[in-house]
Amino acid sequence: QVQLVESGGGLVQAGNSLRLSCAASGRTVSSAGMGWFRQAPGKEREFVAAISTSGSTTYYADSVKGRFTISRDNAKNTMYLQMNSLKPEDTAVYTCAAGFGLGFGSNWWDVGSYDHWGQGTQVAVSS
């Protein structure tokens, strides 16, 4: 079983940056595609970014493209999300996920493609 724990959330002013981490334990996630999702109050969970097992391929939601960067360190069993130029509309609970069945042609944006989830970390961006 895989446990995923997010960290790095907090309250920042618009225009600033945050770096989220997702640490995995219990099993290596080097063979799992991984992703970040977020959920704002009163809204459904939405896809933010995803990364392939090797880290060579990344996917982003249009709303974060050019501002957020997803990466992973398989030696540390950890994934990251560097968030720059934050906006108030980025305020949400950010959750990481791992999917051992993800690969070429998968629906990386689909929550159903992931089988392990963290508890989430709150990100709040003030204007």
Side-chain angles (χ1 to χ4, degrees), residues 15-76:
N16 284 355
S17 300
L18 278 176
R19 188 194 195 204
L20 304 184
S21 298
C22 172
S25 62
R27 177 185 175 184
T28 178
V29 291
S30 59
S31 61
M34 299 190 73
W36 287 97
F37 290 78
R38 68 186 182 186
Q39 186 167 20
K43 295 187 177 181
E44 293 194 355
R45 181 176 288 179
E46 66 172 358
F47 170 75
V48 176
I51 189 166
S52 62
T53 55
S54 67
S56 60
T57 304
T58 55
Y59 308 86
Y60 295 95
D62 288 343
S63 58
V64 307
K65 202 170 293 182
R67 300 188 298 122
F68 291 11
T69 302
I70 189 172
S71 62
R72 65 189 298 166
D73 185 338
N74 286 337
K76 295 182 178 180

